[in-house]
Amino acid sequence: MADEDGEGIHPSAPHRNGGGGGGGGGSGLHCAGNGGGGGAGPRVVRIVKSESGYGFNVRGQVSEGGQLRSINGELYAPLQHVYNVYMAGRQLCSKRYREFAILHQNLKREFANFTFPRLPGKWPFSLSEQQLDARRRGLEEYLEKVCSIRVIGESDIMQEFLSESDENYNGVSDVELRVALPDGTTVTVRVKKNSTTDQVYQAIAAKVGMDSTTVNYFALFEVINHSFVRKLAPNEFPHKLYVQNYTSAVPGTCLTIRKWLFTTEEEILLNDNDLAVTYFFHQAVDDVKKGYIKAEEKSYQLQKLYEQRKMVMYLNMLRTCEGYNEILFPHCACDSRRKGHVITAISITHFKLHACTEDGQLENQVIAFEWDEMQRWDTDEEGMAFCFEYARGEKKPRWVKIFTPYFNYMHECFERVFCELKWRKENIFQMARSQQRDMAT
């Protein structure tokens, strides 16, 4: 018998090991209706043991489906028992019992010298609730024991099983997504598997009660790590990210709602919107704690306002601090530097490149670009880079290329800034708020 690193256990034929993020407690297996496809995407599911074990569990549900059967001359869809595999609260895939049986046989062939635990037996007749519960717990224990062997949990067979193929990802069945909110709470929405970012966001907005104006100033983000979040593109599929990302900074979810606004003037116009102010406040408090906003000289006054929950006054004071409504990107290479990297900072007033070492240590040089110096910008998909052209004075325009995996997000930040600058120029903010107040009146 091998230990958790799989020593002494070897497949009977060569195979690739999957990589990916770590799991954690709260994984699970749930029985649900209609065995449609689960989370698709790269077949990379890494199973990591937490203090409470691997955390697989099973819940039961019965639905109609499958081949029609004739009973007394009437056609009926037979009852089916389908199990949804969850990890860290995220649905990975949907499987029937026979697919667990196939998995068991495939693993036994692949790892011939390993003694596998028993799979719950197959019953020739309809199962009672007690028998279904026994099977549920048996499948739970089976996954727990098998996935405790690293080489088995990372094998192609297990990866294929836990990350269903795109062929099964038909998007028909519903899934639940848990999303973190700026105030530290979470909200769960039920959407189709193939729902886009925009569709998921609209469901969240409706669930939390955002009005038609407020919804424009927040967006759905992916938590990359403890220091960076990325705005999801409108045509992405949040459910796929949800099941692929197991190392999120937010327990139980990698999806979060955050402010999507660079202009502080518009925030002030939303001071009469309790939900917007609450979200602005909690996100600002978190950004101060993480050091994104430099509030050293005003830290005492801000702390007092925080303790008294004077949110509007807290925000008014914090908006004058460096880093407010600024997005910092992780350090990366830039073609304007022969050695070292840059840290990119985007705000409504400027676009900055902070020089840093290749491991992210800040250096003294900072280049700041005014937005009216920007001529053109684009993305280089093949080179995974964001490119922009700027012109200063009488000098010839010059292109700069920033090599970052977040080039699309950087491009969207540029688009948003110029959009807001246009809104400011055309007084769109005040007009929209006036119309909303008129409607409310």
Side-chain angles (χ1 to χ4, degrees):
M1 184 72 177
D3 62 14
E4 289 176 10
D5 290 329
E7 295 179 5
I9 303 262
H10 304 282
S12 56
H15 71 280
R16 299 168 306 174
N17 282 343
S27 306
L29 199 78
H30 303 251
C31 184
N34 201 3
R43 292 187 178 86
V44 177
V45 179
R46 186 176 173 193
I47 303 162
V48 176
K49 187 175 183 179
S50 69
E51 293 180 358
S52 58
Y54 294 86
F56 287 103
N57 59 76
V58 179
R59 297 176 190 167
Q61 184 179 332
V62 181
S63 69
E64 293 185 353
Q67 184 177 356
L68 296 178
R69 296 180 181 178
S70 176
I71 303 176
N72 296 329
E74 297 289 337
L75 292 176
Y76 294 91
L79 296 180
Q80 295 182 347
H81 305 282
V82 182
Y83 300 93
N84 293 331
V85 181
Y86 281 73
M87 178 172 285
R90 303 165 200 161
Q91 184 176 337
L92 299 179
C93 58
S94 301
K95 301 291 182 181
R96 294 183 178 88
Y97 173 81
R98 60 180 174 81
E99 292 175 279
F100 279 91
I102 293 172
L103 168 71
H104 183 60
Q105 294 302 321
N106 289 341
L107 288 175
K108 287 171 67 177
R109 282 194 295 267
E110 182 83 352
F111 302 93
N113 60 339
F114 175 63
T115 303
F116 282 86
R118 274 192 65 193
L119 194 69
K122 184 173 178 63
W123 294 79
F125 308 107
S126 297
L127 299 179
S128 65
E129 289 187 10
Q130 291 79 6
Q131 291 168 327
L132 280 173
D133 189 61
R135 175 182 283 182
R136 174 187 66 77
R137 287 183 278 108
L139 293 174
E140 177 181 292
E141 293 170 3
Y142 179 83
L143 285 177
E144 183 87 11
K145 292 176 181 177
V146 169
C147 290
S148 68
I149 308 303
R150 181 176 171 183
V151 70
I152 298 178
E154 294 183 351
S155 68
D156 273 356
I157 294 174
M158 187 59 75
Q159 295 286 300
E160 291 276 354
F161 180 82
L162 294 177
S163 303
E164 285 179 319
S165 67
D166 287 332
E167 293 178 1
N168 291 333
Y169 195 84
N170 52 31
V172 173
S173 58
D174 289 348
V175 294
E176 288 187 346
L177 300 182
R178 183 167 43 175
V179 180
L181 299 175
D183 61 1
T185 63
T186 60
V187 62
T188 300
V189 292
R190 194 165 186 82
V191 295
K192 299 296 183 185
K193 285 183 183 177
N194 61 353
S195 294
T196 63
T197 299
D198 283 347
Q199 292 168 329
V200 172
Y201 178 62
Q202 290 299 325
I204 298 167
K207 189 77 174 283
V208 301
M210 284 189 187
D211 59 41
S212 58
T213 299
T214 308
V215 76
N216 296 312
Y217 305 124
F218 292 89
L220 186 59
F221 286 76
E222 176 191 10
V223 180
I224 303 298
N225 52 48
H226 288 278
S227 60
F228 185 65
V229 295
R230 174 189 71 90
K231 181 181 179 294
L232 270 61
N235 59 347
E236 286 189 74
F237 299 103
H239 177 255
K240 289 190 176 183
L241 288 174
Y242 192 74
V243 300
Q244 291 165 15
N245 189 330
Y246 302 102
T247 56
S248 64
V250 180
T253 182
C254 66
L255 302 177
T256 184
I257 295 294
R258 285 182 65 85
K259 178 171 54 178
W260 179 231
L261 182 66
F262 291 94
T263 312
T264 55
E265 295 94 324
E266 173 60 4
E267 281 193 37
I268 297 172
L269 292 173
L270 291 169
N271 277 349
D272 60 347
N273 187 311
D274 291 340
L275 183 64
V277 169
T278 299
Y279 285 177
F280 291 157
F281 171 73
H282 285 283
Q283 181 174 322
V285 170
D286 189 55
D287 287 349
V288 170
K289 289 180 180 178
K290 292 179 177 177
Y292 301 156
I293 303 174
K294 312 302 180 186
E296 289 87 353
E297 296 180 359
K298 301 178 180 178
S299 58
Y300 178 78
Q301 299 99 308
L302 288 169
Q303 181 62 28
K304 289 299 180 183
L305 293 173
Y306 168 76
E307 292 172 358
Q308 298 168 9
R309 282 299 188 269
K310 295 183 177 180
M311 293 186 279
V312 172
M313 294 178 65
Y314 181 95
L315 290 168
N316 286 339
M317 179 176 290
L318 195 63
R319 288 184 185 114
T320 63
C321 298
E322 179 186 351
Y324 191 85
N325 277 7
E326 182 178 68
I327 294 178
L328 289 176
F329 285 78
H331 67 89
C332 60
C334 176
D335 66 354
S336 64
R337 299 203 74 198
R338 293 182 180 178
K339 293 183 180 180
H341 283 183
V342 297
I343 294 176
T344 304
I346 299 177
S347 72
I348 197 67
T349 57
H350 53 245
F351 174 60
K352 287 183 178 179
L353 297 179
H354 297 254
C356 67
T357 62
E358 292 187 1
D359 59 1
Q361 297 297 314
L362 283 175
E363 298 176 345
N364 294 327
Q365 186 182 9
V366 179
I367 301 176
F369 301 92
E370 301 298 325
W371 289 115
D372 58 9
E373 295 176 338
M374 295 296 167
Q375 306 294 304
R376 292 178 290 174
W377 53 92
D378 205 347
T379 57
D380 178 1
E381 299 281 345
E382 185 175 347
M384 293 187 66
F386 174 74
C387 316
F388 67 93
E389 184 186 50
Y390 72 98
R392 286 180 169 169
E394 302 299 323
K395 294 182 179 180
K396 184 179 179 180
R398 179 186 174 187
W399 278 96
V400 176
K401 184 175 286 191
I402 302 172
F403 300 94
T404 170
Y406 310 112
F407 57 91
N408 283 323
Y409 177 33
M410 196 172 289
H411 184 274
E412 193 167 1
C413 287
F414 261 59
E415 295 287 332
R416 178 72 181 198
V417 165
F418 276 92
C419 213
E420 290 187 23
L421 289 172
K422 182 180 178 182
W423 293 345
R424 177 195 282 175
K425 185 177 180 180
E426 298 176 355
N427 211 26
I428 297 296
F429 290 138
Q430 289 83 349
M431 290 171 59
R433 294 299 292 156
S434 296
Q435 290 177 358
Q436 187 186 35
R437 291 192 186 98
D438 291 343
M439 291 175 64
T441 303

